[in-house]
Amino acid sequence: MKGKDKQQYVVYDQFHWLAPDHLEHVFAGWEYALKNYAFLKQAHPDKTLGLTTIEDYEKLKPKRK
């Protein structure tokens, strides 16, 4: 593995953070994450999905009190 392939990526619902059905999946490797992102976008046309590294996702994720 090299470069992006060592990273973990998260596909997530950008707007429904506190919903019980909040979509959040972690994938290893860019190509695998990208394929799953495309699949999940088709499977959930009602959601606005994002794709980012797990590190950046942790920064975006709202803190629970």
Side-chain angles (χ1 to χ4, degrees):
M1 291 184 156
K2 52 184 163 172
K4 292 180 181 177
D5 291 335
K6 292 181 182 178
Q7 297 243 6
Q8 287 190 318
Y9 297 89
V10 180
V11 176
Y12 65 99
D13 180 352
Q14 295 184 52
F15 296 109
H16 302 101
W17 293 97
L18 301 177
D21 64 343
H22 175 72
L23 190 118
E24 179 179 312
H25 295 282
V26 178
F27 300 101
W30 175 248
E31 293 298 323
Y32 188 59
L34 199 55
K35 287 178 185 176
N36 280 284
Y37 172 73
F39 171 78
L40 289 167
K41 280 189 69 81
Q42 288 183 349
H44 300 280
D46 58 323
K47 298 188 186 301
T48 303
L49 301 182
L51 171 62
T52 190
T53 63
I54 199 161
E55 293 86 3
D56 287 341
Y57 179 73
E58 289 300 322
K59 293 174 192 173
L60 293 171
K61 194 173 176 180
K63 304 292 184 233
R64 302 236 168 144
K65 294 180 182 180

